[in-house]
Amino acid sequence: QGQLVESGGASVQAGGSLRLSCAFSGIFYSSYCMGWFRQGPGKEREGVARIDNDGTPTYEDSVQGRFTISKDNTKNILYLQMNSLEPEDTAMYYCAAARWTCADRDYINYWGQGTQVTVSS
């Protein structure tokens, strides 16, 4: 079984930065895609950024240019660097991994427990 453990969530002011980390272990072959989802109050869980097994990153429109996803395969850590944070970014952020696609939450095979990000204006 695979395991994902997020860290790095915090409360920050608008315009600030945070870096989320996701330590992964277990059955995560290089063919797995990995990504970050978030769920704000009263909202559905949505994809934020993902990195495919060929290393190609993809971002949700609202975070394009502000967030950067990266993966360190030597340390088994997935990162999400978040800059220019906005109150609308407030959410629980989840690390995710999937065998086939990380573009749809219904195809996610493994979820982390989540880390809270709160952005105040």
Side-chain angles (χ1 to χ4, degrees), residues 11 15 39 52:
S11 295
Q39 188 166 14
D52 293 328

Side-chain angles (χ1 to χ4, degrees), residues 3-105:
Q3 185 176 16
L4 305 171
V5 180
E6 305 97 330
S7 61
S11 295
V12 297
Q13 290 191 329
S17 297
L18 284 174
R19 188 176 77 163
L20 305 183
S21 299
C22 171
F24 55 91
S25 60
I27 307 176
F28 289 117
Y29 303 115
S30 60
S31 59
Y32 276 65
C33 64
M34 297 192 72
W36 291 93
F37 286 71
R38 67 185 178 186
Q39 188 166 14
K43 298 181 180 179
E44 293 188 349
R45 192 172 297 189
E46 63 175 359
V48 176
R50 67 182 187 271
I51 189 164
D52 293 328
N53 55 15
D54 64 357
T56 302
T58 303
Y59 300 94
E60 193 268 331
D61 287 346
S62 68
V63 307
Q64 180 76 46
R66 300 188 297 122
F67 291 10
T68 302
I69 188 171
S70 61
K71 186 181 176 192
D72 187 332
N73 289 319
T74 62
K75 297 181 179 179
N76 286 0
I77 299 178
L78 181 73
Y79 298 102
L80 184 68
Q81 177 66 43
M82 306 187 294
N83 298 328
S84 302
L85 282 162
E86 304 169 352
E88 292 74 21
D89 297 317
T90 294
M92 184 73 78
Y93 283 71
Y94 297 90
C95 180
R99 298 181 186 88
W100 303 116
T101 179
C102 291
D104 187 329
R105 64 177 185 265

